[in-house]
Amino acid sequence: MLSQAQWQAHKRAIVDRYATPSDVRGSLQLLSVVAPIAALWFVIEGAWPDSPWLVAAATFCLSLFLLRGFVLMHDCGHHSLFRSKWLNRLGGFLLGVLAGLPQPVWAENHRFHHVTNGNWSRYRGPLNVACVSDYLEMDAAQRRRYRLNRDILMAPIAGCLYFLVNPRITWLRASAQLLRRRFTRTDRRTAEDASAPQRVSTAHYRHMTWNNLALLAAWGLMAWAVDPAPFFLCYVIGGSLAGGYGLILFTVQHNFEHAYASADEGWCRDEAALHGTSFLVLPRWLNWITADAAYHHVHHLCASVPNYRLAACHREHAALFASVRRVGLFEIPGALKHVLWDLQGRRLVSVAEAMERAAA
């Protein structure tokens, strides 16, 4: 075990050596998303409807580049894709339109995950993990629904809802609230009903509005250029697959066998970075597609390290990361079965393990 002084020295060395983004490399990475996506839409437009298999292959490739765009959007939120803050904001906006998400709003929520990583009392992950005791209190139908909603095969549906549907609904609801407040006259301010939906801040609403207006304009332009039927069909399928990949990627980085999962008491952010975050062992081509998001343990140790420097940082500090859990590509489905929080054991467990312990 490292002393606190040694641990801080390692982190300082990582920051000094690797936490320096490059505007040139960031621009090339942005181009590596925009140019292939434009080319794939050109292929889809030319192949429709005579070559359905070519359209299907292009749509699959489109989903992979949309996933890469989402990861780069995530990096803009940490100001680690570009050195320039202005370029990070601009790149984040453009990539947010591709992802269908208002990037500053998403990034603010994501930063909450970073400051609470491993503290499952405050953040339960994208799957909203339940405690073992809560699961045992569910009836049979509730348990089946809980397991089904967290099954890996449901990822494309969850991706469609998360990236394509929910951001539009949230914006429309916020717009309705704004109009209702604007046109409803009250003589005095009254306390809000606790059951009423929480108001969206002015800054968040502005980001949501610009994102949705740009996205709707892009939809109209692409429907005119490609034709509405192939565009919306391929866009929904590609976006849903990309969203599913993204949810799987971000979930398995924290949901695996006996991952560190503490309550408020005794929570250690540094321990969570090493034992509550995985290192995905992926093929080289998939590491490129995901912008080295597999090195998530390095990212949680220092979020300002650009994605294109994560692998080198991992290699130089291999001894520091020796205890980080490795998860291979074909181990991902098994890792994602750990969807219950063992509060006493301060770890994540599978339903099968929880039921076995309950029976014993």
Side-chain angles (χ1 to χ4, degrees):
M1 294 293 292
L2 297 176
S3 68
Q4 188 63 25
Q6 290 173 319
W7 178 257
Q8 293 301 325
H10 271 288
K11 291 201 290 187
R12 175 49 55 190
I14 289 173
V15 171
D16 290 343
R17 181 171 174 81
Y18 292 102
T20 308
S22 163
D23 289 344
V24 173
R25 294 195 67 174
S27 299
L28 290 175
Q29 287 203 324
L30 183 61
L31 184 64
S32 74
V33 170
V34 175
I37 287 178
L40 287 167
W41 278 119
F42 182 80
V43 171
I44 291 171
E45 191 275 336
W48 181 275
D50 299 324
S51 303
W53 290 109
L54 182 56
V55 172
T59 302
F60 172 72
C61 293
L62 177 67
S63 71
L64 295 178
F65 282 99
L66 287 173
L67 170 63
R68 179 170 170 82
F70 171 62
V71 178
L72 296 185
M73 184 201 79
H74 154 269
D75 292 354
C76 288
H78 289 291
H79 304 291
S80 64
L81 186 61
F82 300 98
R83 189 180 186 91
S84 164
K85 291 184 179 180
W86 179 84
L87 283 176
N88 277 306
R89 288 195 295 268
L90 177 61
F93 175 79
L94 296 175
L95 294 168
V97 173
L98 275 180
L101 295 169
Q103 185 269 337
V105 179
W106 186 90
E108 184 176 318
N109 293 327
H110 180 69
R111 282 191 289 271
F112 177 77
H113 156 63
H114 269 261
V115 299
T116 61
N117 179 40
N119 186 336
W120 290 72
S121 289
R122 301 188 64 190
Y123 180 71
R124 299 289 185 91
L127 298 184
N128 193 21
V129 169
C131 294
V132 171
S133 57
D134 293 336
Y135 179 80
L136 294 177
E137 291 176 358
M138 297 178 188
D139 59 34
Q142 290 172 326
R143 291 181 183 180
R144 283 196 300 271
R145 186 162 55 250
Y146 181 86
R147 296 193 302 269
L148 177 63
N149 289 340
R150 289 151 184 82
D151 192 288
I152 191 172
L153 296 178
M154 298 295 291
I157 297 175
C160 180
L161 294 173
Y162 185 86
F163 289 93
L164 303 182
V165 177
N166 290 346
R168 316 289 82 76
I169 293 176
T170 302
W171 177 57
L172 291 174
R173 285 178 175 172
S175 299
Q177 289 179 16
L178 180 64
L179 290 173
R180 190 161 47 245
R181 293 201 304 268
R182 186 68 56 87
F183 293 105
T184 300
R185 296 181 178 180
T186 53
D187 294 332
R188 58 182 182 177
R189 298 180 64 182
T190 57
E192 290 189 62
D193 183 359
S195 63
Q198 187 177 3
R199 289 184 178 180
V200 175
S201 70
T202 302
H204 281 194
Y205 182 74
R206 183 173 64 252
H207 293 308
M208 291 163 56
T209 298
W210 282 114
N211 175 264
N212 279 280
L213 291 179
L215 184 61
L216 291 173
W219 284 357
L221 180 63
M222 289 299 294
W224 170 79
V226 178
D227 195 56
F231 168 68
F232 283 108
L233 178 63
C234 296
Y235 177 80
V236 170
I237 293 175
S240 298
L241 288 175
Y245 304 151
L247 290 176
I248 290 172
L249 179 66
F250 275 72
T251 300
V252 77
Q253 290 169 335
H254 300 282
N255 287 64
F256 50 88
E257 184 178 11
H258 297 169
Y260 176 88
S262 174
D264 281 320
E265 185 177 356
W267 170 61
C268 176
R269 185 175 178 178
D270 291 334
E271 185 178 355
L274 293 180
H275 302 129
T277 308
S278 66
F279 169 35
L280 301 181
V281 183
L282 303 177
R284 182 174 297 181
W285 70 270
L286 195 50
N287 272 328
W288 185 87
I289 286 291
T290 57
D292 279 339
Y295 297 90
H296 204 58
H297 53 294
V298 183
H299 174 66
H300 265 280
L301 201 61
C302 180
S304 58
V305 175
N307 71 79
Y308 39 82
R309 309 197 74 187
L310 291 172
C313 181
H314 169 83
R315 288 192 296 268
E316 181 174 332
H317 296 272
L320 178 66
F321 301 125
S323 62
V324 173
R325 179 62 181 268
R326 270 70 171 165
V327 178
L329 178 62
F330 296 105
E331 295 175 310
I332 289 177
L336 289 175
K337 293 183 181 295
H338 296 81
V339 293
L340 293 176
W341 177 24
D342 179 0
L343 184 58
Q344 286 71 36
R346 291 158 56 91
R347 61 185 186 178
L348 298 184
V349 298
S350 66
V351 170
E353 182 179 351
M355 297 305 295
E356 183 179 349
R357 289 181 58 192

